[in-house]
Amino acid sequence: MKKKVKTVRNLLFAATVFNVSILPLVPAVGQTSKMLHDKQIYWAGSKGDLEKGLDQLEKQLHIPISYDKNLVRGKNANTPKQSTTTANDVLSQLLADNGLSYRIVQNNIVVVPAPKPVAENSAQNNIIAGYVKDATSGRVLPHSTLVKLSDNRKTMTDANGYFILQGLKPGTIEILVSYIGYQNQIVELTYPNGGIPINILLEPKDNNLEGITINGIRRGEALALSNMKNADNVRYVLSQEQIERFPDATVAEALQRVPGIAMDYSYGLPRNVVMRGLSQNMGSVTLNGTRLPSTQTNSREIDLNGILSSTVEAIEVNKTFTPDMDADATAGSVNIVSKTPKAGEELFRVNVGGGYNQLLSKANYNLGAVLGKRYEKWGFLADVNYSQTYRGEDRVQVDYDTYEIDGSEHLLMSNLELEGSDLERKNTGLQFELNYYPTNATKLYARSSYNKYFELQTRGTKSYNIGEYSNIGQAADISIGSSGTPRDYNRDIITFSLGGKTAFSNYEVDADATYAKGRYDQPLYYDGYFQQGGLSAAIDNTDPSAPQFLFAGTDHNDPAKYTANSYNRRHQFAHDRDIQLSGNIKRSLSLEGGHTLDLKAGARFRYKEDAHTRNYFQYRLKTGSLTMDDFTSDYNRTSYFGGKYNLSGAIANGYLMEQYYQRNMDLFQPNDNYIRQNTDPDSYEGSENLSAGYFMGKLTTGKLETVLGMRYERTGFQYTGNIVSFDDQGNYQSTQPVDTEAAFAGFFPSLNLKYKLTEQTNIRGALTRTLSRPSYYDLVPWEEIEVRRKRMKKGNPQLDQSTSTNVDLLFEHYLNPIGLLSGGVFYKKINDYIYESIYTQSGGTYDGYAITQTVNGAAADVYGLEIAWQQQFTFLPGFANGFGVFANYTYVKSSFEVPGVESVRRVALPEMRPSVGNFALSYEKYGFSGRLALNFYETFISELAEEEANDLMEKGRTQLDFSASQKINKNFTVFVGLSNITNSQVRFDFGDGRPNDYKYYARWGNIGVKYTIK
């Protein structure tokens, strides 16, 4: 792993030197084309289709004529035969009878609706609005930059490529328009313009390279880099096109490609995001800027496996905070941008794909369709996606205990568990958006989304428990437990939003109302557990990660020898419901000397209801026991864990146990001790309310942009939990509901600076204060008191939010025509860090009890560096100019004090990966796009123990993936993806190197076809 990390470091350093030495010059700004009134042409007349007439004229003029096909479709072009005349006369004749006109935008003739007399009004009497588009494809260019040359006032297009120029006086203005990967243009605009939206068309820089276009990944990178370049904060963006070039089916999988991001894995796939070494609980996940509710049982986390990557327009990772963003961003925030109808685009796309999982030998498939269109006043988009995939996991877990052999103590294996899991996952993603544009400066929207994530697990488990050792290699009093446990999970998110934005004079106003619900539901959990004991075996520990039991003289796979006298089942569910209201107002001012000041203020209110019900049941037979021979399953994994085990034979069937229980309830009686201990402490309900307000200003003075402001947030909460008591014999005594009500609040200032060394180069700095809230369950007043064992587990309503002071410094250089070279450092001082503590109570009723509780700890320090390089090598000759590279590396260090057995220990924060990186080599040309991608992270602390030797360490891991697509024609594309080519495992060792938990996944892949009309 260290060698791989060193290699990536060297590559990135070489890239820095290389790009600085060959930095291409910025092309000269385009010139406005001459007016055509005096241009003489010979016109032979035209009949029939208007498009053909315009094409005929374009060939004579050798000047591009651009138009929206919806504008001219079905219209006639009947003009009489003429001799020499002017281009203006011909165009006027072609267009006038169809209610059309034209404009000249640089070297393009742009067909537009004929101006209509409009009444001036206070909402629009000084506004020009329009779109910046690709001159070739007509697709909008989000996050373009427009600079008014007379006073250097800068405006950005939004995510739909839309701009509004305000505070205009009658006359002509010059605007410099720029976009990464496109030629700069100076455009003349005249106000008043009759209220007609302007289309500004930009030409790609690399359109003269054979086989290379600005479509596909290059367009996606241009979009993402333009967003990053123009952002007020430190941000990294993945566009839809970039995501599609990796074999990443979910948002979680896509996020692992982002600098500074690591992922927490579940069954071989990324699930929860870890940003700059900090868990998802210390950051936030939002949809279009509004926080999403949780899909977990006790925390604020969202299982990002539940959102298909095919449903999103882009993913923004915000690494620094501005006052108009929620302050719970100590780790950072992930903002998912939903799809929306774009001007000039009629979108219809269908995806059909299939795949294969090697471990389970099962097929996967996915389907998707999106339909969208933007009219003059209306726009809509509907998106449907469905995926059914199979995943598998072979898991080997080894636990240890101290045994006495010949008078001396030895730390030896106490339990070996083999757990095989077959997973069937079904994802459904639905999205609908309806937009209305009453004026050029106003947009109203209604949008909804539904992400349903269903997972069915079929598990077969055998566990070998060792009672004693006669010598190091021989164990006795061995019991074998066997279970077949089907269980399912539903993790769903549904959102509804109504909102709008408008501009008038020098003001911009927006408002949004959102209802969102997150659901976790596990209705199915049937645990058929059987056991046989009294066995002995030799232990072969040649491979410590896969120890072998060598039984002699007995058939330990005989189902008749396994018995059970109880049956367990569960139903667990939780919901997290939010109502959120937000509003913002911005005022733009022009200052002397060409400086500008944007003032912005806003507020947000959120009301949340959160509840969790955990029903764990155990039913014991009143008399006798059951044998497994009537309850066996067909679970069969003969080549388990790479062929080291045979997990088949004598595996119980949980479905059969459930059926037997339902038919014979009178034979069982509930075990109240088990039920109350596993149900009551974990069940709670409550609510939270957030009130937030902010004020900020953005001052632009020459090359320096300063964003400064203050945010205030107050979170009040009320929760009801249970105090559950047991007597000194372990028998259940009582459950007492308890209420709590409290709040925490604070001010969160922020300063973000951006200095433009050149048009392509920024230096950014940020000083911010952020928060992270405790998990829901940590605030609940619950207690589980076990007198017999003198231990207690409890919630902590007295917890305070954790706050952090953050410092960031970043250098970023945007390469021509499309690329990025960046490097930066960051530091976080986290106060009142929240972690789980185990301590001994001193004094009081529970003196001497071992207490497990989440607490606020001492301050923690986190610091590190990030470097990134992505570039398309279009400057290379011939075949080689299709290559590109995508690479990033993050190094993080942290320090935190925790109590130890003998003294306080200073350790790294749990879940913090010290090194994370990606390196991908791509090729895109002649309609082909391929990528070989490497993702890695180094060993880190997963869980802290009281002693360093028992800390749980997740071992470093490297995964290699491949994806490719080939465009067959303008509508059809075929694609293929292969994941985990290296067959990498997820492995956990104890701090002293003992193997603990190893997970094996094999490989999986997909292949399919995409049909698109744009």
Side-chain angles (χ1 to χ4, degrees):
M1 171 59 72
K2 290 183 178 179
K3 186 176 290 186
K4 291 173 182 172
V5 172
K6 186 176 180 181
T7 300
V8 173
R9 288 174 179 163
N10 291 340
L11 284 169
L12 290 169
F13 176 76
T16 305
V17 176
F18 178 76
N19 284 291
V20 169
S21 64
I22 67 157
L23 179 64
L25 295 175
V26 177
V29 176
Q31 301 297 319
T32 305
S33 62
K34 294 182 179 180
M35 300 299 289
L36 302 178
H37 290 80
D38 299 327
K39 185 174 180 66
Q40 299 292 312
I41 63 171
Y42 178 80
W43 186 248
S46 64
K47 291 183 179 180
D49 189 85
L50 178 58
E51 289 189 61
K52 292 180 179 179
L54 292 173
D55 291 342
Q56 180 183 341
L57 182 60
E58 184 179 58
K59 291 176 182 178
Q60 283 209 45
L61 297 177
H62 302 290
I63 297 175
I65 300 178
S66 302
Y67 50 83
D68 184 338
K69 289 190 175 181
N70 293 322
L71 198 63
V72 302
R73 184 177 292 128
K75 296 184 177 179
N76 296 322
N78 296 317
T79 63
K81 182 177 180 179
Q82 301 179 19
S83 56
T84 302
T85 184
T86 66
N88 177 66
D89 290 341
V90 175
L91 269 175
S92 297
Q93 287 184 335
L94 284 171
L95 301 176
D97 291 341
N98 294 295
L100 301 173
S101 182
Y102 74 90
R103 297 184 182 280
I104 299 171
V105 182
Q106 198 176 356
N107 294 323
N108 291 265
I109 300 171
V110 182
V111 177
V112 297
K116 297 178 181 179
V118 295
E120 296 288 332
N121 60 69
S122 59
Q124 285 188 248
N125 61 5
N126 60 355
I127 287 174
I128 292 179
Y131 297 89
V132 178
K133 297 182 178 181
D134 182 308
T136 304
S137 67
R139 299 183 69 178
V140 297
L141 299 177
H143 313 292
S144 303
T145 303
L146 297 88
V147 178
K148 187 179 173 186
L149 297 183
S150 60
D151 59 9
N152 290 322
R153 182 162 188 81
K154 184 167 67 173
T155 301
M156 242 72 80
T157 61
D158 63 13
N160 297 313
Y162 188 69
F163 68 87
I164 296 176
L165 301 175
Q166 303 184 73
L168 303 178
K169 297 179 180 179
T172 300
I173 59 173
E174 288 188 320
I175 303 293
L176 173 63
V177 187
S178 60
Y179 195 77
I180 288 177
Y182 287 76
Q183 299 175 27
N184 290 355
Q185 289 195 24
I186 293 180
V187 180
E188 287 187 353
L189 302 178
T190 301
Y191 173 78
N193 69 327
I196 300 171
I198 302 297
N199 286 321
I200 299 176
L201 306 178
L202 301 185
E203 294 282 352
K205 288 180 180 177
D206 59 357
N207 60 359
N208 60 337
L209 297 176
E210 184 182 1
I212 291 179
T213 70
I214 203 71
N215 293 322
I217 192 171
R218 284 183 170 80
R219 181 185 184 276
E221 285 187 310
L223 186 154
L225 294 175
S226 296
N227 187 340
M228 293 156 58
K229 180 183 177 184
N230 293 321
D232 291 333
N233 61 327
V234 177
R235 175 185 298 174
Y236 193 89
V237 181
L238 282 174
S239 69
Q240 177 188 2
E241 290 88 348
Q242 288 175 295
I243 295 169
E244 289 176 346
R245 291 312 188 265
F246 291 101
D248 298 334
T250 66
V251 167
E253 292 179 79
L255 279 169
Q256 67 186 326
R257 315 295 178 182
V258 174
I261 295 291
M263 301 302 297
D264 176 33
Y265 283 77
S266 172
Y267 296 99
L269 291 175
R271 180 177 63 182
N272 296 330
V273 62
V274 178
M275 295 176 276
R276 289 181 163 181
L278 302 176
S279 69
Q280 191 181 123
N281 260 333
M282 299 189 71
S284 60
V285 178
T286 61
L287 177 65
N288 301 316
T290 298
R291 175 139 191 176
L292 286 173
S294 171
T295 56
Q296 304 286 57
T297 54
N298 295 323
S299 73
R300 300 179 188 273
E301 294 180 345
I302 297 158
D303 190 335
L304 292 170
N305 275 318
I307 303 177
L308 291 170
S309 59
S310 56
T311 65
V312 308
E313 180 87 8
I315 303 173
E316 301 172 343
V317 178
N318 294 295
K319 298 181 178 181
T320 66
F321 155 82
T322 54
D324 54 350
M325 299 166 55
D326 288 344
D328 52 344
T330 294
S333 70
V334 174
N335 183 43
I336 299 168
V337 182
S338 64
K339 296 177 183 177
T340 188
K342 300 291 194 301
E345 293 187 26
E346 181 176 355
L347 180 62
F348 175 60
R349 181 169 60 190
V350 177
N351 297 332
V352 179
Y356 185 77
N357 183 279
Q358 182 185 23
L359 185 65
L360 301 183
S361 301
K362 290 186 176 181
N364 305 320
Y365 68 89
N366 58 275
L367 305 168
V370 58
L371 175 65
K373 189 172 182 179
R374 166 70 192 275
Y375 300 93
E376 181 180 356
K377 292 289 186 180
W378 295 90
F380 78 93
L381 184 140
D383 189 18
V384 180
N385 291 270
Y386 179 79
S387 170
Q388 179 171 314
T389 59
Y390 290 90
R391 296 284 184 261
E393 178 181 272
D394 291 354
R395 180 181 182 186
V396 175
Q397 183 169 348
V398 184
D399 294 315
Y400 302 85
D401 204 346
T402 301
Y403 294 87
E404 184 176 321
I405 303 175
D406 297 331
S408 61
E409 292 187 340
H410 299 265
L411 185 62
L412 300 171
M413 176 177 64
S414 61
N415 191 80
L416 169 70
E417 182 170 276
L418 311 179
E419 182 184 82
S421 298
D422 297 7
L423 282 70
E424 178 186 7
R425 288 179 167 175
K426 297 179 181 180
N427 288 78
T428 303
L430 305 176
Q431 179 191 346
F432 182 78
E433 180 166 335
L434 181 65
N435 296 333
Y436 175 58
Y437 307 87
T439 70
N440 288 336
T442 303
K443 172 186 175 181
L444 303 175
Y445 62 82
R447 61 170 69 112
S448 63
S449 67
Y450 176 58
N451 290 278
K452 180 173 181 57
Y453 173 33
F454 171 78
E455 180 176 284
L456 175 63
Q457 296 183 8
T458 302
R459 296 191 301 173
T461 305
K462 279 192 177 178
S463 58
Y464 302 80
N465 184 267
I466 298 173
E468 61 181 25
Y469 281 85
S470 54
N471 58 60
I472 296 295
Q474 187 70 36
D477 192 20
I478 299 172
S479 63
I480 305 176
S482 173
S483 66
T485 312
R487 63 179 182 179
D488 65 358
Y489 297 94
N490 295 274
R491 296 183 177 95
D492 306 335
I493 301 176
I494 186 168
T495 66
F496 297 96
S497 295
L498 293 173
K501 60 181 180 180
T502 190
F504 56 93
S505 186
N506 286 317
Y507 289 90
E508 294 180 27
V509 178
D510 67 82
D512 180 272
T514 295
Y515 170 81
K517 179 180 178 180
R519 181 177 76 110
Y520 173 99
D521 191 10
Q522 186 191 54
L524 185 153
Y525 188 107
Y526 307 143
D527 188 9
Y529 180 81
F530 291 78
Q531 188 176 33
Q532 71 162 311
L535 303 174
S536 61
I539 305 296
D540 181 358
N541 208 33
T542 304
D543 181 356
S545 65
Q548 304 292 322
F549 283 76
L550 306 176
F551 294 96
T554 183
D555 181 8
H556 64 282
N557 281 324
D558 182 359
K561 295 181 179 180
Y562 288 80
T563 62
N565 59 13
S566 65
Y567 168 58
N568 293 353
R569 63 197 301 268
R570 304 178 188 173
H571 184 193
Q572 189 172 2
F573 52 94
H575 73 253
D576 185 2
R577 289 195 287 257
D578 292 350
I579 296 175
Q580 302 185 62
L581 305 173
S582 63
N584 305 277
I585 184 169
K586 187 171 83 169
R587 172 77 159 96
S588 299
L589 302 171
S590 296
L591 308 178
E592 293 184 1
H595 307 322
T596 61
L597 176 63
D598 294 331
L599 300 176
K600 189 176 182 182
R604 182 186 294 273
F605 172 79
R606 179 169 65 232
Y607 175 76
K608 173 189 294 293
E609 290 182 349
D610 180 65
H612 175 216
T613 300
R614 187 186 192 194
N615 292 316
Y616 276 33
F617 303 103
Q618 185 179 82
Y619 306 101
R620 288 181 175 177
L621 284 169
K622 296 176 181 178
T623 60
S625 61
L626 302 173
T627 59
M628 197 203 294
D629 46 6
D630 292 327
F631 300 94
T632 56
S633 72
D634 58 359
Y635 191 90
N636 191 321
R637 198 77 67 79
T638 56
S639 183
Y640 184 84
F641 202 70
K644 294 180 180 179
Y645 296 98
N646 181 355
L647 185 60
S648 56
I651 302 291
N653 188 322
Y655 290 107
L656 295 178
M657 283 295 294
E658 169 69 9
Q659 292 171 13
Y660 182 84
Y661 167 74
Q662 293 294 340
R663 291 195 303 263
N664 301 278
M665 288 185 181
D666 57 322
L667 301 179
F668 294 84
Q669 60 184 5
N671 180 356
D672 286 338
N673 292 337
Y674 178 93
I675 294 171
R676 298 276 68 85
Q677 183 172 4
N678 289 280
T679 296
D680 295 354
D682 295 270
S683 299
Y684 66 89
E685 61 181 16
S687 63
E688 291 185 355
N689 58 84
L690 166 74
S691 300
Y694 73 90
F695 181 81
M696 61 183 284
K698 178 182 178 180
L699 177 65
T700 302
T701 55
K703 295 184 176 183
L704 178 64
E705 294 181 5
T706 303
V707 180
L708 176 66
M710 177 74 73
R711 185 179 185 89
Y712 173 79
E713 289 198 5
R714 180 188 183 278
T715 304
F717 61 88
Q718 177 276 322
Y719 282 105
T720 299
N722 296 309
I723 296 178
V724 187
S725 301
F726 299 84
D727 64 18
D728 57 6
Q729 301 299 312
N731 295 315
Y732 168 72
Q733 292 293 294
S734 65
T735 296
Q736 178 184 353
V738 179
D739 296 324
T740 190
E741 186 173 351
F744 31 73
F747 289 93
F748 301 93
S750 67
L751 170 66
N752 282 266
L753 303 172
K754 180 170 69 173
Y755 184 78
K756 296 175 62 174
L757 286 175
T758 69
E759 186 62 32
Q760 301 294 100
T761 306
N762 294 327
I763 294 179
R764 295 180 183 268
L767 177 62
T768 60
R769 187 170 185 261
T770 54
L771 68 90
S772 54
R773 298 184 181 91
S775 295
Y776 306 134
Y777 188 50
D778 293 335
L779 294 169
V780 175
W782 67 274
E783 292 181 4
E784 181 184 334
I785 306 166
E786 297 182 83
V787 177
R788 180 170 61 95
R789 296 180 177 180
K790 296 196 72 174
R791 69 183 187 186
M792 178 191 298
K793 299 177 182 179
K794 58 191 299 187
N796 190 355
Q798 304 304 315
L799 274 173
D800 198 0
Q801 60 188 6
S802 175
T803 59
S804 176
T805 300
N806 317 292
V807 181
D808 289 80
L809 183 64
L810 177 72
F811 168 87
E812 55 185 14
H813 176 68
Y814 293 87
L815 304 167
N816 284 318
I818 300 174
L820 169 68
L821 191 65
S822 69
V825 294
F826 60 88
Y827 171 74
K828 298 178 183 292
K829 183 71 171 183
I830 305 173
N831 296 311
D832 297 318
Y833 180 74
I834 300 169
Y835 76 106
E836 185 178 83
S837 174
I838 301 176
Y839 60 93
T840 301
Q841 177 71 31
S842 177
T845 304
Y846 302 107
D847 182 53
Y849 277 56
I851 309 294
T852 300
Q853 186 181 40
T854 299
V855 299
N856 290 115
D861 296 286
V862 180
Y863 54 94
L865 65 88
E866 296 175 353
I867 49 179
W869 171 37
Q870 59 189 83
Q871 185 174 13
Q872 303 297 321
F873 299 143
T874 54
F875 53 84
L876 295 177
F879 173 82
N881 61 31
F883 281 105
V885 69
F886 177 93
N888 54 68
Y889 173 74
T890 302
Y891 175 77
V892 187
K893 290 279 287 183
S894 64
S895 181
F896 173 59
E897 288 186 355
V898 295
V901 174
E902 297 179 356
S903 62
V904 170
R905 289 199 292 149
R906 182 163 284 275
V907 299
L909 296 179
E911 299 297 326
M912 190 214 74
R913 284 77 166 160
S915 290
V916 180
N918 292 277
F919 186 85
L921 184 66
S922 65
Y923 188 82
E924 179 160 334
K925 197 171 182 180
Y926 303 115
F928 174 83
S929 177
R931 180 167 293 204
L932 189 66
L934 182 78
N935 172 267
F936 68 87
Y937 59 83
E938 285 194 303
T939 300
F940 63 94
I941 299 174
S942 177
E943 293 181 12
L944 286 170
E946 291 190 64
E947 295 180 332
E948 183 178 356
N950 292 325
D951 287 346
L952 198 58
M953 312 291 294
E954 183 170 340
K955 305 294 288 183
R957 182 174 184 266
T958 301
Q959 178 170 317
L960 185 66
D961 304 320
F962 172 75
S963 59
S965 65
Q966 176 63 55
K967 194 173 184 65
I968 305 303
N969 55 39
K970 67 178 183 179
N971 300 122
F972 283 97
T973 302
V974 295
F975 60 87
V976 63
L978 184 61
S979 298
N980 199 25
I981 298 172
T982 49
N983 196 11
S984 298
Q985 301 178 29
V986 172
R987 301 176 300 163
F988 294 85
D989 287 349
F990 288 106
D992 58 7
R994 287 171 291 139
N996 171 245
D997 195 355
Y998 283 24
K999 302 170 183 179
Y1000 176 93
Y1001 304 103
R1003 306 168 183 86
W1004 57 92
N1006 67 313
I1007 187 170
V1009 63
K1010 180 192 301 180
Y1011 177 76
T1012 305
I1013 294 178
K1014 295 182 180 179

